[in-house]
Every structure is written in structure tokens, then in C-alpha cells.
Amino acid sequence: MDPELEAFVPLFPRADLGDPVTARAGFAQLATALPAPDTSAMEVEDRTVPADPGVPVRIYRPHLAQGAIIWMHGGGFVMGNLDTEHPWAARLADGSGAVVISVGYRLAPENPFPAALDDVHAVLTWTAQHAAELGIDPARIAVGGHSAGAGLAAAVALRTRDEQGPPICFQLLNQPGLDDRLQTWSARNFTDTPWMNHDKAAQLWGHYLGSTPATPYAAPARATDLSGLPPAYVATAEFCPNRDEDIDYALRMLQAGVSVELHQWPGTFHGSQAILSAEVSQRQIAELGAALRRALAA
């Protein structure tokens, strides 16, 4: 493990989603410990997207922004909200120059699949319909996220392809959760890794799926046809249970004719980019912004 990250491992809470309410409180506490981002070069606005129920979003609009990304927070489908994602959404807007529309999707287990995906799809559709009002190019709308949020981004890309919905120009997938089966080498063997391990992954999928059998829209790794998807940037962490399912998904997209950039970050673990003092974290965050900037400039 990267020595700059290893020093912080004892400070990370135990990986457990057995009590979702307690887990949410701990996750929120972690988020507030991060230094506040500088938002002086952008407008930040809270809105509610009309849906059933309405979906809260926070829009980050850098000056002279053109393209946009629908951005989903991490938290295992169970934790996280617009406030916990604020440091990351603001950094992404600053690093990419894109409008970032952060989505406060409904959480499991109270709202299992497909609630979160329906919320994301509603925000994507609304953004495409209101592109002129939002000051963005409707041909330059991307989707992305961290962890479970990246899994939702991959899922909405599959759904809009199948339903011929609003065009998505790019997928920015950071350590996505894609496969509920947990049968890859990394999922089976990473049982004691920081923040995310096999047991926590099993818990989050249980909360998200409930009693519903998994479909490709719930677990995108189950999709057999990945052709016709938007170009993608996929980032993985070396000591992350999701690592191998992410690499496999990236390779299968490539084999289906999708343009993919795959970046495997050595010495990192799931969510370790929260340790902002580490050089590798600074590189990871900068690369997410740069990848999105390149994609939206194309």
C-alpha cells in the first residue's frame, strides 16, 4: 500500500453497513472532516427536479462552462447526500470546468432498486430538456460518480441506450460498484481491506436489491451486450473488492467497440482519495477533472 495512505488506515471506520442509520451518521462525520472546497469561481444552486417524488440536486456552474455531468455520490447505495458529496462535486467542477449536477438520489434499504436509478434517470431527462435554461450544450452531457454512484452512472447509460433516451456523451466511473455476485478474485480475497471489503459489499448489495433479483440495470456487470455505450473513463483502486469487476467491465466495453480509458491506481484502496494530503490522491482527483474536461471538449 502507498505509505502516505497506510498511515491513515487506522483512522478509517470499520467497514460495516449492518446498521444503515448509524453508518450514515458516521459517513456524514467523515465528510465534514474534509477541508471545505473553494467555490468562489462558480455558482452553486440547490434545486428540486420534478419527479415522483422530486429529486434534490445541487448544481455547480463554473464561469464559461459548456458541458455538464450528472454526478452521483458514493456510499454503497445506503449512505451519502448532497452535503457529503459537496467537497467532491465542487472539486470536480473546478478541475473540469463542467457544470456538475450532483444528485441526491433515494437511499436503500428504505428505497431499494430501482428508486435510485429512477431518480438519476429523471435528473438526466430534466437536464437534457432544460439544457438551454441551464446554459449547457445538450450534446455534451456526461454521467459519472464514485463507487455506488458510478454503478448508477453505468446503469443509466445502459438504460438510456436501450430506451433511446437522452444522449450521454461520456461515462466517468470511479471505482464503480457493478456486480452483486462478488465472484471475482478481488471481491473474494479482499476481506480485510480498508473502508470496503467483501462483507461490506455483500451488505450493500443486499440493502440495494432487497428481494428483487438483480438485472443489468441494478448490477451493470450482468449486461451481456455493452455495445453502443458512451465512451468511458474507468478508475480502479488496487486494494478494492470492485477492482476486478471494473477492469472486466472496461475490457468488455472495449471488446464491444466502446472507447475506454482504464486507470488502475497502485497502492490505493476504495475511497482512499479522501486522504487529500497523499500525492496519489491529488493525482487521482486531478485526473478525474482532466478526463472530464477532455471528454466534454471533444
Side-chain angles (χ1 to χ4, degrees):
M1 187 175 291
D2 186 291
E4 286 190 284
L5 300 178
E6 196 163 17
F8 284 85
V9 168
L11 303 179
F12 269 71
R14 193 166 63 89
D16 184 24
L17 284 176
D19 179 352
V21 174
T22 302
R24 282 174 198 146
F27 191 71
Q29 192 172 11
L30 268 183
T32 58
L34 288 167
D38 180 7
T39 57
S40 59
M42 65 187 78
E43 298 170 19
V44 182
E45 176 191 10
D46 285 351
R47 302 265 303 253
T48 300
V49 170
D52 186 19
V55 186
V57 295
R58 185 167 294 166
I59 303 173
Y60 301 77
R61 189 178 290 105
H63 301 316
L64 304 177
Q66 290 291 314
I69 185 167
I70 314 299
W71 183 254
M72 278 62 75
H73 63 79
F77 306 110
V78 171
M79 306 176 289
N81 54 39
L82 296 179
D83 292 332
T84 63
E85 193 59 18
H86 177 66
W88 305 110
R91 283 183 176 87
L92 182 62
D94 184 56
S96 66
V99 175
V100 173
I101 301 175
S102 183
V103 182
Y105 57 84
R106 285 172 287 172
L107 300 176
E110 297 89 341
N111 298 283
F113 173 82
L117 180 60
D118 287 345
D119 290 350
V120 172
H121 187 266
V123 173
L124 172 65
T125 303
W126 174 84
T127 302
Q129 290 172 346
H130 294 80
E133 175 200 335
L134 294 166
I136 59 176
D137 180 349
R140 287 196 275 179
I141 298 174
V143 296
H146 294 303
S147 190
L152 286 167
V156 81
L158 286 166
R159 179 172 163 181
T160 55
R161 177 201 64 180
D162 295 346
E163 296 177 356
Q164 280 129 25
I168 295 170
C169 71
F170 186 64
Q171 305 175 76
L172 187 66
L173 309 179
N174 189 45
Q175 302 167 11
L178 300 170
D179 197 342
D180 66 294
R181 294 165 292 192
L182 305 178
Q183 291 301 306
T184 66
W185 187 93
S186 62
R188 286 183 290 106
N189 285 276
F190 290 152
T191 57
D192 196 30
T193 41
W195 186 240
M196 180 64 70
N197 58 36
H198 177 277
D199 288 350
K200 187 177 182 182
Q203 287 176 319
L204 70 86
W205 281 110
H207 288 317
Y208 184 52
L209 294 172
S211 58
T212 306
T215 67
Y217 294 164
R222 288 180 173 268
T224 55
D225 178 12
L226 301 183
S227 63
L229 289 172
Y233 172 92
V234 180
T236 65
E238 183 173 358
F239 301 110
C240 171
N242 297 354
R243 184 195 70 193
D244 294 352
E245 69 200 58
D246 296 350
I247 292 171
D248 180 63
Y249 195 75
L251 289 173
R252 290 202 297 122
M253 281 195 289
L254 278 169
Q255 290 159 359
V258 177
S259 181
V260 177
E261 179 173 353
L262 172 62
H263 200 133
Q264 155 58 33
W265 292 95
T268 61
F269 58 88
H270 192 90
S272 62
Q273 70 267 13
I275 302 168
L276 295 169
S277 59
E279 183 192 9
V280 68
S281 299
Q282 294 165 20
R283 290 171 54 215
Q284 284 175 285
I285 294 164
E287 185 56 34
L288 283 171
L292 181 57
R293 182 184 289 275
R294 288 193 301 270
L296 294 179

